[in-house]
Amino acid sequence: KSGLLFSSTSRRCGRKQASRSRERIGETMAPEVVTIDCAGHMLGRLASVIAKQLLNGQKVVAVRCEKICVSGGFVRQKMKYERFRRKRHLTAPRKGPYHYKAPAKILWRTIRGMVPHKTHRGALALERLQTFEGVPAPYDKVKRVTVPAALKALRLQHGHKYVVLGDLSTAVGWKFGENIEELEAARQEGAKSFWEAKKSKLLAIRKASA
């Protein structure tokens, strides 16, 4: 999502006046929160887009991370992740690196690798990011968007193998996949009943006005 954060200033005004006006406009125009529905997106492409937006000052909330896709077959990706989990501190593994199993944390760690998180700018960028499995309560009532540049249907060639991140996480030890599926089923059922009630109400209003 791109937008003009600052208005253009005249060339005749000095540097100090222009910087003051930019600071004033920047204070009043705080970036809004963008909620991304990650279902059906490719992991690396989605992470790169989110990382760039975080560095630009955008607040991002990623939901349904368990439905993210990773290119490659299931066996290959599981072997790669098992090799990754064996990388550890030799004498004190508690010192890291830490290998996350939850899909939301895997996405968060992927984005962290694309952000200079050891600098002040990168640390502030990571603070603007939130990742969740499923769609938790505050974000099931807000508009969710997709990232066309990262959609599997548009970016992965037909017939190529891929694995869903939730299945991969379950295979390496994540224990909450079934719980998330139950919560998602309940949420979708509630959303369906809400839409049916709203649709009938709109039809009644249209008939009354006709």
Side-chain angles (χ1 to χ4, degrees):
K1 181 178 179 179
S2 60
L4 184 62
L5 295 179
F6 306 116
S7 62
S8 58
T9 54
S10 175
R11 291 184 180 180
R12 294 181 180 178
C13 65
R15 291 183 179 179
K16 291 184 179 179
Q17 185 177 354
S19 63
R20 280 196 221 104
S21 63
R22 282 195 291 267
E23 289 175 1
R24 219 168 26 245
I25 296 171
E27 290 175 358
T28 58
M29 297 182 64
E32 62 179 359
V33 179
V34 174
T35 305
I36 299 178
D37 188 352
C38 299
H41 289 73
M42 304 303 296
L43 176 62
R45 291 179 179 271
L46 177 65
S48 63
V49 172
I50 292 177
K52 188 63 176 179
Q53 294 302 314
L54 292 174
L55 290 171
N56 286 339
Q58 182 68 59
K59 296 179 181 179
V60 177
V61 176
V63 297
R64 297 177 72 191
C65 294
E66 75 279 1
K67 299 295 183 181
I68 294 176
C69 300
V70 182
S71 60
F74 178 79
V75 176
R76 176 184 292 270
Q77 292 299 330
K78 184 180 178 183
M79 291 173 60
K80 284 174 61 178
Y81 199 82
E82 287 175 351
R83 288 197 298 269
F84 168 66
R85 287 187 65 191
R86 285 196 292 269
K87 291 180 172 62
R88 64 188 184 93
H89 194 287
L90 186 60
T91 57
R94 66 180 182 279
K95 293 185 178 179
Y98 304 109
H99 313 291
Y100 301 109
K101 300 175 185 176
K105 295 300 289 184
I106 291 176
L107 174 64
W108 179 86
R109 198 180 195 279
T110 306
I111 295 171
R112 189 189 70 174
M114 301 179 181
V115 171
H117 65 279
K118 294 186 179 182
T119 65
H120 182 65
R121 175 172 175 251
L124 291 178
L126 268 185
E127 289 178 0
R128 302 185 194 106
L129 174 65
Q130 287 182 301
T131 57
F132 299 100
E133 292 93 11
V135 186
Y139 306 107
D140 57 349
K141 301 292 192 301
V142 300
K143 181 179 179 181
R144 297 183 290 275
V145 300
T146 59
V147 181
L151 284 173
K152 178 185 74 68
L154 302 177
R155 293 300 172 182
L156 189 66
Q157 286 190 347
H158 179 69
H160 283 208
K161 294 180 180 180
Y162 70 93
V163 59
V164 179
L165 189 57
D167 298 338
L168 180 63
S169 297
T170 302
V172 297
W174 185 51
K175 301 177 181 179
F176 302 102
E178 295 181 357
N179 297 341
I180 294 297
E181 289 180 3
E182 293 176 1
L183 292 172
E184 277 295 286
R187 181 189 65 82
Q188 291 174 1
E189 188 64 29
K192 183 179 179 181
S193 61
F194 171 79
W195 169 241
E196 292 296 334
K198 182 178 180 180
K199 187 164 60 172
S200 61
K201 185 177 179 180
L202 291 175
L203 289 175
I205 294 174
R206 189 175 299 173
K207 287 181 181 179
S209 61

